Amino acid sequence: QVRLSESGGGSVHTGDSLTLSCVASENIVGTYAMGWFRQSPGSEREFVATVSRLGEQAVVAPFVAGRFNLSRDKAKNALYLQMNNLKPEDTAMYYCAAGRSYRGHLLTPQEYDTWGQGTQVTVSA
């Protein structure tokens, strides 16, 4: 089973940028659909962005459209989430996930098989 390790979180101010990294223990391109989710205390885990197993164009949640971008690096077995113009409401634990399904873009946590440990993002005003 693939192992995922996130990094890149931190404490920033409104308008700042961060890039989250998710490094997998094996090749992800063509093997896994990959996604980013986030969760705040007392809230359910919510979808942020995903790229399908077949590498179709990434999909991001409406509330991060135009601010967050998803990319992959095949050589490094890595998935990145570039986050720009961060807002206090982006504060959450961010999780990377992998799913074996060929069913296009996976938008719910239940569709993923493996999760990383998470990386905390805190945005202050």
Side-chain angles (χ1 to χ4, degrees):
Q1 186 175 358
V2 64
R3 297 183 303 277
L4 305 173
S5 179
E6 304 100 327
S7 62
S11 296
V12 297
H13 292 94
T14 299
D16 287 348
S17 298
L18 281 174
T19 298
L20 305 184
S21 300
C22 172
V23 178
S25 58
E26 61 186 78
N27 173 58
I28 58 174
V29 176
T31 308
Y32 297 96
M34 300 296 296
W36 285 99
F37 287 75
R38 68 187 189 185
Q39 188 169 22
S40 303
S43 300
E44 294 186 352
R45 194 163 294 190
E46 66 177 352
F47 166 75
V48 176
T50 184
V51 58
S52 71
R53 180 168 178 169
L54 298 179
E56 298 159 300
Q57 185 173 357
V59 171
V60 298
F63 53 80
V64 301
R67 299 190 298 124
F68 290 14
N69 295 294
L70 188 66
S71 62
R72 295 183 301 181
D73 186 327
K74 179 179 174 60
K76 297 182 179 180
N77 295 337
L79 179 75
Y80 303 104
L81 184 67
Q82 172 69 41
M83 305 187 296
N84 301 313
N85 191 21
L86 283 162
K87 305 175 181 180
E89 51 264 42
D90 294 319
T91 295
M93 184 72 80
Y94 283 72
Y95 296 92
C96 175
R100 286 197 169 273
S101 175
Y102 280 103
R103 200 168 56 246
H105 294 101
L106 309 183
L107 305 181
T108 65
Q110 293 77 14
E111 297 177 281
Y112 289 85
D113 305 302
T114 304
W115 294 83
Q117 81 287 350
T119 186
Q120 177 68 37
V121 172
T122 302
V123 185
S124 57

